[in-house]
Amino acid sequence: MTETYETETYEFFSEARSEAVVNARMGADVSTRLAQVMASLVKHLHAFAKDVELTQEEWGLAVDFLTRTGQMSDGNRQEFILLSDVLGLSMLVDAINHRRPSGATENTVLGPFHVAGAPHYPMGSNISLDGKGESCLFIGQVRDTDGSPIAGVQIDVWCDNADGYYDVQQPGIQPQWNNRGIFVTGPDGHYEFRGIRPVAYPIPDDGPVGQMLAALHRHPNRPAHMHFLVSAPGFETIVTHTFVAGDQWLNSDAVFGVKTSLIASIETGTDTAWRSHFDFVMTRKTA
Amino acid sequence: MTETYETETYEFFSEARSEAVVNARMGADVSTRLAQVMASLVKHLHAFAKDVELTQEEWGLAVDFLTRTGQMSDGNRQEFILLSDVLGLSMLVDAINHRRPSGATENTVLGPFHVAGAPHYPMGSNISLDGKGESCLFIGQVRDTDGSPIAGVQIDVWCDNADGYYDVQQPGIQPQWNNRGIFVTGPDGHYEFRGIRPVAYPIPDDGPVGQMLAALHRHPNRPAHMHFLVSAPGFETIVTHTFVAGDQWLNSDAVFGVKTSLIASIETGTDTAWRSHFDFVMTRKTA
């Protein structure tokens, strides 16, 4: 309904016109991208409230939940990233931004536990420094999409220890750089290193996100995995995990990280208890 | 694509199936309402990310913004409510939950400045305690939808002072209960009280929400208004504002509170500088 007020004709906020009224308020000279993102955000936020006919009480619970999520966060804990993760938003944004041709290694999220500056090791070295866990050889090759090996690929790896914690979660308990290391491929594109068979672990569930998972009757567990950050000049960087085949949480990863192509077979090793083989396929950067 | 893994058939997360995969994770025995709200939230959240093809950088900015919004909040400041307000969500939820027949007084949000327990005054009293501002008589009648006056209606009012601040924003500067009071109607449903002509003021804009408004080239101002909380046994409580006709921000209230029916004419008074007339129409509670 058009309202006439003084010399102006103005349409005030109403349930029916809520999205249009709010978005019309943006300045005409706001950057195109910001205007696009905010208009879509308002559109979907209002559509959500209308679809479910959100009650005042539910709105109040949401305000409280989001406030506590912000206040749970600090330098060592990012509860909003955790929220994004368990709602599948992190993996969705990752997927949108890393569409790759068939055959190329699929991406996943970096996660909160990567630390830059891990030690560089020669191929074959053991990254497990705490003596815990079942030994495992990680082995494979890095190739381009034509099947040619790539030299000079930096492979940065990290995983939890046998108790299910990363070194940065247990400073003073685990040795620094436990289960982390960086390897560089030679002309054959081959890599191998020793570590432990990764173990499943729960994401931190003592905050608002854990309460939400409990209310939704969802468990907080991630299937066992090894993180890889694979980079080489001229190629798109791959951020991914390999998942241990047969893990009980493969089909219900709390953060939706698993993709079929990233499940690595695990078999009995020779000088290690286990052996995990996985080849990486990198795509060239487009100019 | 259906993935076969070991003895199970499971469809992993993918861009195309993101909403379905996340929502399928909820327990089957989650309450119907919670399942409905969360499924819709995930649907709209994912649709938003897909519509705009949200980048990793934008996602990071959003995580940071939401974190700071939570951390800006404390017992005296609720930045997430402010965010909800400027996105039109607060007024939308209010509208959804207070649909009323034509002719009944429209609702608005309570806002952050209501305080329970204001002094009870006899009709005609002056609620302005700091001696500032232009005096104004607020006057009118409370009726039911058939036009009959309602007795025993409690009218709880509050507004900012002439400097644009509520008493609770300036403890020690303004007298407690400045520009607040509670009045009760007699058999004629009539009310009147003295106070000041309300003045426009900006919402707090020194936090993340203020930064967002600036990025969107939006001002933080609210048009001048008087808050009313009107309640009586057997009737739906009215939470509303009346807005001062002619205010420069009427068409651009930062929180979208203005409705045509809530704009109160203001005219020259007799024993006060100004006179603002507004009648309230209450709807009976349904059994």
Side-chain angles (χ1 to χ4, degrees), chain B residues 62-263:
Chain B
V63 166
D64 176 63
F65 176 84
L66 294 169
T67 303
R68 289 188 294 117
T69 300
Q71 294 180 344
M72 190 81 195
S73 303
D74 58 28
N76 295 312
R77 170 85 171 252
Q78 226 308 345
E79 193 79 357
F80 265 114
I81 291 184
L82 214 54
L83 178 60
S84 169
D85 292 349
V86 303
L87 293 177
L89 180 64
S90 304
M91 279 299 292
L92 177 58
V93 170
D94 183 73
I96 289 169
N97 289 281
H98 299 97
R99 295 175 188 134
R100 289 181 183 144
S102 176
T105 302
E106 294 187 277
N107 221 70
T108 60
V109 293
L110 184 66
F113 297 121
H114 180 256
V115 180
H120 285 253
Y121 292 119
M123 283 298 174
S125 302
N126 185 4
I127 61 171
S128 173
L129 308 179
D130 64 355
K132 292 184 176 178
E134 303 174 18
S135 62
C136 183
L137 176 70
F138 294 85
I139 188 166
Q141 191 186 38
V142 187
R143 296 188 291 265
D144 65 19
T145 48
D146 297 328
S148 305
I150 310 174
V153 179
Q154 178 168 297
I155 303 180
D156 187 348
V157 302
W158 65 105
C159 77
D160 57 339
N161 79 348
D163 298 326
Y165 296 101
Y166 292 83
D167 58 350
V168 291
Q169 295 178 286
Q170 297 191 311
I173 297 173
Q174 290 188 42
Q176 193 182 15
W177 306 117
N178 191 28
N179 296 306
R180 298 177 187 273
I182 296 176
F183 301 86
V184 178
T185 61
D188 60 359
H190 178 82
Y191 79 88
E192 65 176 270
F193 63 92
R194 288 165 176 79
I196 62 165
R197 178 181 169 135
V199 301
Y201 61 83
I203 59 171
D205 64 347
D206 58 339
V209 171
Q211 293 168 358
M212 190 184 85
L213 288 179
L216 297 176
H217 299 189
R218 285 175 50 181
H219 69 74
N221 299 302
R222 299 214 61 199
H225 58 272
M226 174 65 78
H227 289 273
F228 287 87
L229 197 167
V230 180
S231 56
F235 292 88
E236 297 286 346
T237 295
I238 300 171
V239 177
T240 202
H241 319 30
T242 61
F243 294 89
V244 178
D247 189 279
Q248 68 172 310
W249 308 115
L250 273 181
N251 290 358
S252 62
D253 182 358
V255 305
F256 305 98
V258 183
K259 298 179 181 184
T260 306
S261 70
L262 300 176
I263 299 173

Side-chain angles (χ1 to χ4, degrees), chain A residues 5 15 25 58 217 246 253, chain B residues 5 25 29 33 99 246 253:
Chain A
Y5 177 69
E15 185 177 341
R25 197 63 66 77
E58 290 163 345
H217 300 187
D253 182 357
Chain B
Y5 178 68
R25 196 64 67 75
D29 47 353
R33 178 61 181 169
R99 295 175 188 134
D253 182 358

Side-chain angles (χ1 to χ4, degrees), chain A residues 193-206:
Chain A
F193 63 91
R194 287 165 176 77
I196 63 164
R197 178 180 170 136
V199 301
Y201 62 84
I203 61 171
D205 65 346
D206 57 341

